Amino acid sequence: MADHKSALKRIRQTKTRTIRNKDRISRIKTFIKKFTLALGGENAEASFSAAQSEIERGVSKGVLHKNAASRKISRLHKMLKASVAK
């Protein structure tokens, strides 16, 4: 266990940030699931833009790497175009 005051503070900060990051990742996954369920429907584009916004917010908060976010958005957009083409 840490002895220094600063080390104890870092432990507390890590716990709170871990919880916050898990919540953010869970929120991103939820938006992606909502989009996949909305595919083929009339509000697919709206759910795509909401999912895209949430993924980009994850990048700005430091939860996702920008390339990983770009890949996820690209795959979602590909799914959207395929569903619209049908």
Side-chain angles (χ1 to χ4, degrees):
M1 187 65 188
D3 290 339
H4 296 286
K5 207 172 188 181
S6 61
L8 293 171
K9 181 178 178 180
R10 294 305 291 172
I11 290 169
R12 287 195 312 269
Q13 287 177 336
T14 301
K15 286 180 184 176
T16 57
R17 288 177 182 161
T18 300
I19 292 169
R20 195 176 308 136
N21 290 343
K22 282 184 179 179
D23 289 342
R24 176 67 62 189
I25 291 169
S26 174
R27 186 174 163 92
I28 289 169
K29 287 180 181 179
T30 302
F31 272 81
I32 291 172
K33 285 178 190 172
K34 285 181 182 178
F35 167 72
T36 55
L37 291 174
L39 275 175
E42 54 200 39
N43 60 350
E45 290 186 22
S47 62
F48 170 75
S49 65
Q52 181 180 10
S53 172
E54 198 61 36
I55 292 170
E56 288 173 354
R57 192 172 295 128
V59 173
S60 69
K61 300 296 181 185
V63 175
L64 281 176
H65 192 272
K66 65 178 185 174
N67 291 352
S70 177
R71 183 180 63 242
K72 286 178 187 288
I73 291 170
S74 175
R75 289 178 179 169
L76 293 179
H77 193 256
K78 189 176 178 181
M79 290 167 58
L80 178 66
K81 286 205 166 209
S83 71
V84 170
K86 289 182 181 177

Coordinates of all heavy atoms in Angstrom, one line a residue:
M1 N 0.8 -1.2 0.0 CA 0.0 0.0 0.0 C 0.9 1.2 0.0 O 2.0 1.3 0.6 CB -0.9 0.0 1.2 CG -1.9 1.0 1.3 SD -3.1 0.8 0.0 CE -4.1 2.3 0.2
A2 N 0.4 2.3 -0.6 CA 1.2 3.5 -0.8 C 1.2 4.3 0.6 O 0.3 4.2 1.4 CB 0.5 4.4 -1.8
D3 N 2.3 4.9 0.8 CA 2.5 5.7 2.0 C 2.3 7.2 1.8 O 1.8 7.9 2.7 CB 3.9 5.4 2.6 CG 4.1 4.0 3.1 OD1 3.1 3.4 3.4 OD2 5.2 3.6 3.2
H4 N 2.7 7.7 0.7 CA 2.7 9.1 0.4 C 1.3 9.6 0.2 O 0.5 8.9 -0.4 CB 3.6 9.4 -0.7 CG 5.1 9.1 -0.5 ND1 5.9 9.8 0.3 CD2 5.8 8.1 -1.0 CE1 7.1 9.3 0.4 NE2 7.1 8.2 -0.4
K5 N 1.1 10.8 0.6 CA -0.2 11.5 0.4 C -0.5 11.6 -1.1 O -1.7 11.3 -1.5 CB -0.1 12.8 1.0 CG -1.4 13.4 1.5 CD -1.2 14.7 2.3 CE -2.5 15.1 2.9 NZ -2.4 16.3 3.6
S6 N 0.4 11.9 -1.9 CA 0.2 12.0 -3.3 C -0.1 10.7 -4.0 O -1.0 10.6 -4.9 CB 1.4 12.7 -4.0 OG 2.5 11.9 -3.9
A7 N 0.5 9.6 -3.5 CA 0.2 8.3 -4.1 C -1.2 7.9 -3.7 O -1.9 7.2 -4.5 CB 1.3 7.3 -3.6
L8 N -1.6 8.2 -2.5 CA -3.0 7.8 -2.1 C -4.0 8.6 -2.9 O -5.0 8.0 -3.3 CB -3.2 8.1 -0.6 CG -2.3 7.3 0.4 CD1 -2.5 7.9 1.8 CD2 -2.8 5.9 0.3
K9 N -3.7 9.8 -3.2 CA -4.6 10.6 -4.0 C -4.6 10.1 -5.5 O -5.7 10.0 -6.1 CB -4.1 12.1 -4.1 CG -5.0 13.0 -4.9 CD -4.5 14.4 -4.9 CE -5.3 15.3 -5.8 NZ -4.8 16.7 -5.8
R10 N -3.5 9.6 -6.0 CA -3.5 9.0 -7.3 C -4.3 7.8 -7.4 O -5.0 7.5 -8.4 CB -2.0 8.7 -7.8 CG -1.1 9.9 -8.0 CD -1.7 10.9 -8.9 NE -1.7 10.4 -10.3 CZ -2.2 11.0 -11.3 NH1 -2.8 12.2 -11.2 NH2 -2.2 10.5 -12.5
I11 N -4.3 7.0 -6.3 CA -5.1 5.8 -6.2 C -6.6 6.1 -6.3 O -7.4 5.5 -7.0 CB -4.8 5.0 -5.0 CG1 -3.4 4.3 -5.1 CG2 -5.8 3.9 -4.7 CD1 -2.9 3.7 -3.8
R12 N -7.0 7.2 -5.5 CA -8.4 7.6 -5.5 C -8.8 8.1 -6.9 O -9.9 7.8 -7.4 CB -8.6 8.7 -4.5 CG -8.6 8.3 -3.0 CD -9.1 9.3 -2.1 NE -8.6 10.7 -2.3 CZ -7.5 11.1 -1.7 NH1 -6.8 10.4 -0.9 NH2 -7.1 12.4 -1.9
Q13 N -7.9 8.9 -7.5 CA -8.2 9.4 -8.8 C -8.4 8.3 -9.9 O -9.3 8.4 -10.7 CB -7.1 10.4 -9.3 CG -7.1 11.7 -8.6 CD -6.0 12.6 -9.0 OE1 -5.0 12.1 -9.4 NE2 -6.2 13.9 -8.8
T14 N -7.5 7.3 -9.8 CA -7.6 6.2 -10.7 C -8.9 5.5 -10.6 O -9.5 5.1 -11.6 CB -6.4 5.2 -10.5 OG1 -5.2 6.0 -10.6 CG2 -6.4 4.1 -11.4
K15 N -9.4 5.3 -9.4 CA -10.6 4.6 -9.2 C -11.8 5.3 -9.8 O -12.6 4.8 -10.5 CB -10.9 4.4 -7.7 CG -10.1 3.3 -7.1 CD -10.4 3.2 -5.6 CE -9.6 2.2 -4.9 NZ -9.8 2.1 -3.5
T16 N -11.8 6.7 -9.6 CA -13.0 7.4 -10.1 C -12.9 7.5 -11.6 O -13.9 7.5 -12.3 CB -13.0 8.9 -9.5 OG1 -11.7 9.5 -9.8 CG2 -13.3 8.8 -8.0
R17 N -11.7 7.7 -12.2 CA -11.5 7.8 -13.6 C -11.9 6.5 -14.3 O -12.4 6.5 -15.4 CB -10.1 8.3 -14.0 CG -9.9 9.7 -13.6 CD -8.5 10.2 -13.9 NE -8.4 11.6 -13.5 CZ -7.2 12.2 -13.3 NH1 -6.1 11.5 -13.5 NH2 -7.2 13.4 -13.0
T18 N -11.5 5.4 -13.7 CA -11.8 4.1 -14.2 C -13.3 3.9 -14.3 O -13.9 3.4 -15.4 CB -11.2 2.9 -13.4 OG1 -9.8 3.1 -13.3 CG2 -11.6 1.6 -13.9
I19 N -14.0 4.3 -13.3 CA -15.5 4.2 -13.3 C -16.1 5.1 -14.4 O -17.0 4.7 -15.2 CB -16.1 4.6 -11.9 CG1 -15.7 3.5 -10.9 CG2 -17.6 4.7 -12.0 CD1 -16.0 3.9 -9.5
R20 N -15.6 6.3 -14.5 CA -16.1 7.2 -15.5 C -15.8 6.7 -16.9 O -16.7 6.8 -17.8 CB -15.4 8.6 -15.3 CG -16.1 9.7 -16.0 CD -15.5 11.0 -15.7 NE -15.3 11.3 -14.3 CZ -14.2 11.8 -13.7 NH1 -13.2 12.1 -14.5 NH2 -14.2 12.1 -12.5
N21 N -14.6 6.1 -17.1 CA -14.3 5.6 -18.5 C -15.1 4.4 -18.8 O -15.5 4.3 -20.0 CB -12.8 5.3 -18.5 CG -11.9 6.5 -18.5 OD1 -12.4 7.6 -18.8 ND2 -10.6 6.3 -18.2
K22 N -15.4 3.5 -17.9 CA -16.2 2.4 -18.1 C -17.6 2.8 -18.5 O -18.3 2.2 -19.4 CB -16.3 1.5 -16.9 CG -15.1 0.6 -16.7 CD -15.3 -0.3 -15.5 CE -14.1 -1.2 -15.4 NZ -14.2 -2.1 -14.2
D23 N -18.1 3.8 -17.8 CA -19.5 4.4 -18.1 C -19.5 4.9 -19.6 O -20.4 4.7 -20.3 CB -19.9 5.5 -17.2 CG -20.2 4.9 -15.8 OD1 -20.4 3.7 -15.7 OD2 -20.2 5.7 -14.8
R24 N -18.4 5.6 -19.9 CA -18.4 6.2 -21.3 C -18.3 5.1 -22.3 O -19.0 5.2 -23.4 CB -17.1 7.1 -21.4 CG -16.9 7.7 -22.7 CD -17.9 8.7 -23.2 NE -17.9 9.8 -22.3 CZ -18.9 10.8 -22.3 NH1 -19.8 10.7 -23.2 NH2 -18.8 11.8 -21.5
I25 N -17.5 4.1 -22.1 CA -17.4 3.0 -23.1 C -18.7 2.2 -23.2 O -19.2 1.9 -24.3 CB -16.3 2.0 -22.7 CG1 -14.9 2.7 -22.9 CG2 -16.3 0.7 -23.5 CD1 -13.7 2.0 -22.3
S26 N -19.4 2.0 -22.1 CA -20.7 1.4 -22.1 C -21.7 2.2 -22.8 O -22.5 1.6 -23.6 CB -21.2 1.2 -20.6 OG -22.5 0.6 -20.6
R27 N -21.7 3.5 -22.7 CA -22.6 4.4 -23.4 C -22.3 4.3 -24.9 O -23.3 4.3 -25.7 CB -22.4 5.8 -22.9 CG -23.3 6.8 -23.4 CD -23.1 8.2 -22.7 NE -23.7 9.2 -23.4 CZ -24.9 9.7 -23.2 NH1 -25.7 9.2 -22.3 NH2 -25.4 10.7 -23.9
I28 N -21.1 4.3 -25.3 CA -20.7 4.2 -26.7 C -21.3 2.8 -27.3 O -21.9 2.8 -28.4 CB -19.2 4.2 -26.9 CG1 -18.7 5.7 -26.7 CG2 -18.8 3.8 -28.3 CD1 -17.2 5.8 -26.6
K29 N -21.1 1.7 -26.6 CA -21.6 0.5 -27.0 C -23.1 0.5 -27.1 O -23.7 -0.1 -28.1 CB -21.2 -0.6 -26.1 CG -19.7 -1.0 -26.2 CD -19.3 -2.1 -25.2 CE -17.9 -2.4 -25.2 NZ -17.5 -3.5 -24.2
T30 N -23.8 1.1 -26.2 CA -25.3 1.2 -26.2 C -25.7 1.9 -27.5 O -26.7 1.5 -28.2 CB -25.8 1.9 -25.0 OG1 -25.3 1.2 -23.8 CG2 -27.3 2.0 -25.0
F31 N -25.1 3.0 -27.8 CA -25.4 3.8 -29.0 C -25.2 3.0 -30.3 O -26.0 3.0 -31.2 CB -24.7 5.1 -29.1 CG -25.3 6.2 -28.4 CD1 -25.2 6.4 -27.0 CD2 -26.1 7.2 -29.0 CE1 -25.8 7.4 -26.3 CE2 -26.7 8.2 -28.4 CZ -26.6 8.3 -27.0
I32 N -24.1 2.2 -30.3 CA -23.9 1.3 -31.5 C -24.9 0.3 -31.6 O -25.4 0.0 -32.7 CB -22.5 0.7 -31.4 CG1 -21.4 1.8 -31.5 CG2 -22.3 -0.4 -32.4 CD1 -20.0 1.4 -31.3
K33 N -25.4 -0.3 -30.5 CA -26.4 -1.3 -30.5 C -27.7 -0.7 -31.0 O -28.5 -1.4 -31.7 CB -26.6 -2.0 -29.1 CG -25.5 -2.9 -28.7 CD -25.8 -3.4 -27.3 CE -24.5 -4.2 -26.8 NZ -24.7 -4.6 -25.4
K34 N -28.0 0.5 -30.5 CA -29.3 1.1 -30.9 C -29.2 1.4 -32.4 O -30.3 1.3 -33.1 CB -29.4 2.5 -30.2 CG -29.9 2.3 -28.8 CD -30.1 3.7 -28.1 CE -30.4 3.6 -26.7 NZ -30.6 4.9 -26.0
F35 N -28.1 1.7 -33.0 CA -27.9 1.9 -34.4 C -28.2 0.6 -35.2 O -28.9 0.6 -36.1 CB -26.6 2.5 -34.7 CG -26.3 2.4 -36.2 CD1 -26.9 3.3 -37.1 CD2 -25.4 1.5 -36.7 CE1 -26.7 3.2 -38.5 CE2 -25.1 1.5 -38.1 CZ -25.7 2.3 -38.9
T36 N -27.6 -0.5 -34.7 CA -27.7 -1.7 -35.4 C -29.2 -2.2 -35.4 O -29.6 -2.8 -36.3 CB -26.8 -2.8 -34.9 OG1 -27.0 -3.0 -33.5 CG2 -25.4 -2.5 -35.1
L37 N -29.9 -1.9 -34.3 CA -31.3 -2.3 -34.2 C -32.2 -1.4 -35.1 O -33.2 -1.8 -35.7 CB -31.8 -2.2 -32.8 CG -31.3 -3.2 -31.8 CD1 -31.7 -2.9 -30.4 CD2 -31.7 -4.6 -32.3
A38 N -31.7 -0.1 -35.4 CA -32.5 0.8 -36.2 C -32.2 0.7 -37.7 O -32.9 1.3 -38.5 CB -32.2 2.2 -35.7
L39 N -31.2 -0.2 -38.0 CA -30.9 -0.4 -39.5 C -32.1 -0.8 -40.2 O -32.9 -1.7 -39.8 CB -29.8 -1.4 -39.6 CG -28.4 -0.9 -39.5 CD1 -27.4 -2.0 -39.6 CD2 -28.0 0.2 -40.5
G40 N -32.3 -0.2 -41.4 CA -33.4 -0.6 -42.3 C -34.6 0.2 -41.9 O -35.6 0.2 -42.7
G41 N -34.7 0.9 -40.8 CA -35.8 1.7 -40.4 C -35.7 3.1 -40.9 O -34.7 3.5 -41.5
E42 N -36.7 3.9 -40.5 CA -36.7 5.3 -41.0 C -35.8 6.2 -40.1 O -35.4 7.2 -40.6 CB -38.1 5.8 -41.0 CG -38.8 5.6 -39.6 CD -40.3 5.7 -39.8 OE1 -40.8 5.2 -40.7 OE2 -40.9 6.3 -38.9
N43 N -35.4 5.8 -38.9 CA -34.6 6.6 -38.1 C -33.2 6.1 -38.0 O -32.4 6.3 -37.1 CB -35.2 6.8 -36.7 CG -35.3 5.5 -36.0 OD1 -35.2 4.4 -36.6 ND2 -35.6 5.5 -34.7
A44 N -32.7 5.3 -39.0 CA -31.4 4.8 -39.0 C -30.3 5.9 -39.1 O -29.3 5.8 -38.5 CB -31.2 3.8 -40.2
E45 N -30.6 6.9 -39.9 CA -29.6 8.0 -40.1 C -29.5 8.8 -38.8 O -28.4 9.2 -38.5 CB -30.0 8.9 -41.3 CG -29.8 8.2 -42.6 CD -30.1 9.1 -43.8 OE1 -30.0 10.3 -43.6 OE2 -30.3 8.6 -44.9
A46 N -30.6 9.0 -38.1 CA -30.5 9.7 -36.9 C -29.7 9.0 -35.8 O -28.9 9.6 -35.1 CB -31.9 10.0 -36.4
S47 N -30.0 7.7 -35.8 CA -29.2 6.9 -34.8 C -27.8 6.8 -35.2 O -26.9 6.7 -34.3 CB -29.9 5.5 -34.6 OG -29.8 4.8 -35.8
F48 N -27.5 6.8 -36.5 CA -26.1 6.8 -36.9 C -25.4 8.0 -36.5 O -24.3 8.0 -35.9 CB -26.0 6.7 -38.5 CG -24.6 6.9 -39.0 CD1 -23.6 5.9 -38.8 CD2 -24.3 8.1 -39.6 CE1 -22.3 6.2 -39.3 CE2 -23.0 8.3 -40.1 CZ -22.0 7.3 -39.9
S49 N -26.0 9.2 -36.7 CA -25.4 10.4 -36.3 C -25.2 10.5 -34.8 O -24.2 11.1 -34.3 CB -26.1 11.6 -36.8 OG -27.4 11.7 -36.2
A50 N -26.1 10.0 -34.0 CA -26.0 9.9 -32.6 C -24.9 9.0 -32.1 O -24.1 9.4 -31.2 CB -27.3 9.5 -31.9
A51 N -24.7 7.9 -32.8 CA -23.6 7.0 -32.5 C -22.3 7.6 -32.8 O -21.3 7.5 -32.1 CB -23.8 5.7 -33.2
Q52 N -22.3 8.2 -34.0 CA -21.0 8.9 -34.4 C -20.6 10.0 -33.5 O -19.4 10.1 -33.1 CB -21.2 9.5 -35.8 CG -20.0 10.2 -36.4 CD -20.2 10.7 -37.8 OE1 -21.4 10.8 -38.2 NE2 -19.2 11.2 -38.4
S53 N -21.6 10.8 -33.0 CA -21.3 11.8 -32.1 C -20.7 11.3 -30.8 O -19.8 11.8 -30.2 CB -22.6 12.6 -31.8 OG -22.4 13.6 -30.8
E54 N -21.3 10.2 -30.3 CA -20.9 9.6 -29.1 C -19.5 9.0 -29.2 O -18.7 9.1 -28.2 CB -21.9 8.5 -28.6 CG -21.8 8.1 -27.2 CD -22.1 9.2 -26.2 OE1 -23.0 10.1 -26.5 OE2 -21.4 9.3 -25.2
I55 N -19.2 8.4 -30.3 CA -17.9 7.8 -30.5 C -16.8 8.9 -30.5 O -15.8 8.8 -29.9 CB -17.8 7.0 -31.8 CG1 -18.7 5.7 -31.7 CG2 -16.4 6.6 -32.2 CD1 -18.9 5.0 -32.9
E56 N -17.1 10.0 -31.2 CA -16.2 11.1 -31.3 C -16.0 11.8 -29.9 O -14.9 12.3 -29.6 CB -16.7 12.2 -32.3 CG -16.5 11.7 -33.7 CD -17.2 12.6 -34.8 OE1 -17.8 13.6 -34.4 OE2 -17.0 12.4 -36.0
R57 N -17.1 11.8 -29.1 CA -17.0 12.3 -27.8 C -16.0 11.4 -26.9 O -15.3 11.9 -26.1 CB -18.4 12.4 -27.1 CG -18.3 13.2 -25.8 CD -19.7 13.4 -25.3 NE -20.5 14.3 -26.2 CZ -21.7 14.0 -26.6 NH1 -22.3 12.9 -26.3 NH2 -22.3 14.8 -27.4
G58 N -16.1 10.1 -27.2 CA -15.2 9.2 -26.5 C -13.7 9.5 -26.8 O -12.8 9.4 -26.0
V59 N -13.5 9.9 -28.1 CA -12.1 10.3 -28.5 C -11.7 11.5 -27.7 O -10.6 11.6 -27.2 CB -12.0 10.5 -30.0 CG1 -10.6 11.1 -30.4 CG2 -12.3 9.2 -30.7
S60 N -12.6 12.5 -27.7 CA -12.2 13.8 -27.0 C -12.0 13.6 -25.5 O -11.2 14.3 -24.9 CB -13.3 14.8 -27.3 OG -14.4 14.5 -26.6
K61 N -12.6 12.6 -24.9 CA -12.5 12.3 -23.5 C -11.3 11.4 -23.2 O -11.0 11.1 -22.1 CB -13.8 11.7 -22.9 CG -15.0 12.5 -23.0 CD -14.9 13.8 -22.3 CE -16.1 14.6 -22.4 NZ -16.0 15.9 -21.7
G62 N -10.7 10.9 -24.3 CA -9.5 10.0 -24.1 C -9.8 8.6 -23.8 O -9.0 7.8 -23.4
V63 N -11.0 8.1 -24.1 CA -11.4 6.8 -23.9 C -11.1 5.9 -25.1 O -10.7 4.7 -24.9 CB -12.9 6.7 -23.5 CG1 -13.4 5.3 -23.4 CG2 -13.2 7.5 -22.3
L64 N -11.2 6.4 -26.3 CA -10.9 5.7 -27.5 C -9.8 6.4 -28.2 O -9.7 7.6 -28.2 CB -12.2 5.7 -28.4 CG -13.3 4.8 -28.1 CD1 -14.4 5.0 -29.1 CD2 -12.8 3.4 -28.3
H65 N -9.0 5.6 -28.9 CA -8.0 6.1 -29.8 C -8.7 6.6 -31.1 O -9.7 6.1 -31.5 CB -7.0 5.0 -30.2 CG -5.8 5.5 -30.9 ND1 -5.7 5.7 -32.2 CD2 -4.6 5.9 -30.4 CE1 -4.5 6.1 -32.6 NE2 -3.8 6.3 -31.5
K66 N -8.2 7.7 -31.7 CA -8.8 8.3 -32.8 C -8.9 7.4 -34.0 O -9.9 7.4 -34.7 CB -8.2 9.6 -33.2 CG -6.8 9.5 -33.7 CD -6.3 10.9 -34.2 CE -4.9 10.7 -34.8 NZ -4.4 12.0 -35.4
N67 N -7.9 6.5 -34.2 CA -8.0 5.6 -35.3 C -9.1 4.5 -35.1 O -9.7 4.0 -36.0 CB -6.7 4.9 -35.6 CG -5.6 5.9 -36.1 OD1 -6.0 7.0 -36.4 ND2 -4.4 5.5 -36.2
A68 N -9.2 4.0 -33.8 CA -10.2 3.0 -33.5 C -11.6 3.6 -33.7 O -12.5 3.0 -34.2 CB -10.0 2.6 -32.1
A69 N -11.8 4.9 -33.3 CA -13.0 5.5 -33.5 C -13.4 5.7 -35.0 O -14.5 5.5 -35.4 CB -13.0 6.9 -32.8
S70 N -12.4 6.1 -35.7 CA -12.6 6.2 -37.2 C -13.0 4.9 -37.8 O -13.8 4.9 -38.7 CB -11.3 6.8 -37.8 OG -11.4 6.9 -39.2
R71 N -12.3 3.8 -37.4 CA -12.7 2.5 -37.9 C -14.1 2.1 -37.5 O -14.9 1.6 -38.4 CB -11.7 1.5 -37.3 CG -11.9 0.1 -37.9 CD -10.9 -0.9 -37.3 NE -11.1 -1.0 -35.8 CZ -10.2 -0.7 -34.9 NH1 -9.0 -0.2 -35.3 NH2 -10.4 -0.9 -33.6
K72 N -14.5 2.4 -36.3 CA -15.9 2.1 -35.9 C -16.9 2.9 -36.7 O -17.9 2.3 -37.2 CB -16.1 2.3 -34.4 CG -15.4 1.3 -33.5 CD -15.6 1.8 -32.0 CE -14.8 0.9 -31.1 NZ -15.3 -0.5 -31.0
I73 N -16.7 4.2 -36.8 CA -17.6 5.0 -37.6 C -17.6 4.6 -39.0 O -18.7 4.5 -39.6 CB -17.1 6.5 -37.5 CG1 -17.3 7.0 -36.0 CG2 -17.9 7.4 -38.5 CD1 -16.7 8.3 -35.8
S74 N -16.5 4.2 -39.6 CA -16.5 3.8 -41.0 C -17.3 2.5 -41.2 O -18.1 2.4 -42.2 CB -15.0 3.5 -41.4 OG -15.0 3.0 -42.7
R75 N -17.2 1.6 -40.3 CA -17.9 0.3 -40.4 C -19.4 0.6 -40.2 O -20.3 0.0 -40.9 CB -17.4 -0.7 -39.3 CG -16.1 -1.2 -39.7 CD -15.6 -2.2 -38.6 NE -14.2 -2.7 -39.0 CZ -13.4 -3.4 -38.2 NH1 -13.8 -3.6 -37.0 NH2 -12.3 -3.8 -38.6
L76 N -19.8 1.5 -39.3 CA -21.2 1.8 -39.1 C -21.8 2.5 -40.4 O -22.9 2.2 -40.8 CB -21.4 2.7 -37.9 CG -21.1 2.1 -36.5 CD1 -21.3 3.2 -35.5 CD2 -21.9 0.9 -36.2
H77 N -21.0 3.4 -41.0 CA -21.4 4.0 -42.2 C -21.6 3.1 -43.3 O -22.5 3.2 -44.1 CB -20.4 5.1 -42.5 CG -21.0 6.1 -43.6 ND1 -20.6 6.0 -44.9 CD2 -21.9 7.1 -43.5 CE1 -21.2 7.0 -45.6 NE2 -22.0 7.6 -44.7
K78 N -20.7 2.1 -43.4 CA -20.8 1.1 -44.4 C -22.1 0.3 -44.2 O -22.8 -0.1 -45.2 CB -19.6 0.2 -44.3 CG -19.4 -0.8 -45.4 CD -18.1 -1.6 -45.3 CE -17.9 -2.6 -46.3 NZ -16.7 -3.4 -46.2
M79 N -22.4 -0.1 -43.0 CA -23.6 -0.8 -42.7 C -24.9 0.0 -43.1 O -25.9 -0.5 -43.6 CB -23.7 -1.2 -41.2 CG -22.7 -2.2 -40.8 SD -22.5 -2.4 -39.0 CE -24.2 -2.8 -38.5
L80 N -24.8 1.3 -42.8 CA -25.9 2.2 -43.1 C -26.1 2.3 -44.7 O -27.3 2.2 -45.1 CB -25.6 3.6 -42.6 CG -26.7 4.7 -42.9 CD1 -28.0 4.4 -42.2 CD2 -26.2 6.1 -42.5
K81 N -25.0 2.5 -45.4 CA -25.2 2.5 -46.9 C -25.7 1.2 -47.4 O -26.5 1.2 -48.4 CB -23.8 2.8 -47.5 CG -23.4 4.3 -47.3 CD -22.5 4.7 -48.4 CE -22.3 6.2 -48.4 NZ -22.0 6.7 -49.7
A82 N -25.3 0.1 -46.9 CA -25.8 -1.2 -47.3 C -27.3 -1.4 -47.1 O -28.0 -1.9 -47.9 CB -25.0 -2.3 -46.7
S83 N -27.7 -0.9 -45.9 CA -29.2 -1.0 -45.6 C -30.0 -0.1 -46.4 O -31.2 -0.4 -46.8 CB -29.4 -0.7 -44.1 OG -29.2 0.6 -43.8
V84 N -29.5 1.1 -46.8 CA -30.2 2.1 -47.6 C -30.3 1.6 -49.1 O -31.3 1.7 -49.7 CB -29.6 3.4 -47.6 CG1 -30.2 4.4 -48.6 CG2 -29.7 4.0 -46.2
A85 N -29.3 0.9 -49.5 CA -29.2 0.4 -50.9 C -30.2 -0.7 -51.2 O -30.6 -0.9 -52.3 CB -27.8 -0.1 -51.2
K86 N -30.7 -1.4 -50.1 CA -31.6 -2.5 -50.3 C -33.0 -2.1 -50.7 O -33.5 -1.1 -50.5 CB -31.7 -3.4 -49.0 CG -30.4 -4.2 -48.8 CD -30.5 -5.0 -47.6 CE -29.3 -5.8 -47.3 NZ -29.3 -6.6 -46.1

